[in-house]
């Protein structure tokens, strides 16, 4: 979502407006933007943020649920996959969707997320020659969050951050 001159909202996704994340906005508008009249997701905990994002992108579920994680179609449920990643579990609740994604900006290319990875994994040493060679020419995300095809026309980024076999 982009805020244009005169506070005109320009959604980057059709149908997604401010209230999808910030809740009802009439009191905020009526009060000329007074503080405390609208939900600010930055004030939510990372777990609460993941639930908020999951309202549209599917909720994170319990680790022992009966989801078929081998079904490629389930990759589109990003919070559920992020919830299972060691990065999420090891962050002690600090990692959220907003750690990597600015909801007011369009998605970026995979390599632009490398700085976010390096914030926690600054001195990565790949242990195999293949991984070292791939790392020199690809982004962290392209290897550790590979794109998964659900059909000929649809691909989703796997948010279950991990170590995958190279293609």
């Amino acid at each position: 979502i982009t805020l244009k001159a005169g506070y005109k909202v320009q959604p980057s996704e059709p149908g997604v407006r401010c209230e999808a994340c910030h809740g009802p906005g009439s009191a905020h508008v009526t009060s000329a933007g007074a503080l405390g009249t609208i939900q600010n997701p930055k004030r939510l905990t990372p777990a609460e943020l993941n639930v908020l994002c999951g309202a549209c992108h599917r909720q994170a579920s319990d680790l022992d649920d009966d989801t078929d994680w081998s079904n490629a179609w389930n990759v589109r449920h990003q919070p559920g996959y992020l919830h299972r990643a060691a990065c999420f579990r090891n962050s002690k609740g600090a990692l959220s969707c907003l750690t990597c994604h600015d909801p007011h900006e369009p998605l970026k290319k995979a390599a632009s997320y490398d700085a976010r990875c390096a914030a926690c994994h600054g001195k990565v040493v790949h242990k195999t020659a293949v991984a070292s060679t791939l790392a020199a020419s690809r982004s962290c995300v392209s290897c550790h969050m590979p794109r998964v095809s659900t059909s000929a026309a649809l691909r989703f980024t796997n948010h279950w951050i991990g170590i995958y076999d190279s293609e």
Side-chain angles (χ1 to χ4, degrees):
I1 293 176
T2 306
L3 198 56
K4 302 284 186 182
Y7 298 102
K8 181 171 172 56
V9 173
Q10 176 64 48
S12 54
E13 290 286 329
V16 178
R17 300 282 182 175
C18 303
E19 290 183 348
C21 299
H22 294 284
S26 60
H28 188 66
V29 171
T30 303
S31 70
L35 293 176
T37 58
I38 198 158
Q39 176 176 286
N40 183 346
K42 286 185 178 181
R43 292 192 177 101
L44 299 174
T45 68
E48 291 169 333
L49 277 168
N50 292 343
V51 169
L52 176 67
C53 296
C56 295
H57 296 279
R58 302 291 175 118
Q59 294 293 350
S61 56
D62 294 331
L63 288 174
D64 59 353
D65 70 5
D66 60 355
T67 300
D68 178 3
W69 298 106
S70 65
N71 180 344
W73 186 245
N74 287 324
V75 172
R76 73 192 192 285
H77 306 311
Q78 293 92 346
Y81 274 65
L82 178 63
H83 181 77
R84 284 161 175 71
C87 289
F88 177 82
R89 292 191 317 273
N90 293 337
S91 79
K92 296 178 178 50
L95 184 64
S96 80
C97 302
L98 298 186
T99 302
C100 300
H101 298 289
D102 181 339
H104 298 120
E105 297 289 327
L107 289 175
K108 297 176 172 62
K109 297 215 180 272
S112 66
Y113 295 105
D114 283 359
R116 305 273 172 38
C117 299
C120 296
H121 306 281
K123 298 188 188 231
V124 172
V125 176
H126 290 92
K127 297 180 180 172
T128 67
V130 171
S132 296
T133 302
L134 286 174
S137 64
R138 296 174 72 188
S139 70
C140 302
V141 171
S142 65
C143 289
H144 297 288
M145 297 176 70
R147 306 268 295 163
V148 176
S149 291
T150 58
S151 69
L154 276 174
R155 291 173 59 90
F156 295 94
T157 299
N158 182 352
H159 281 68
W160 194 333
I161 306 163
I163 299 171
Y164 295 90
D165 292 337
S166 61
E167 295 175 11

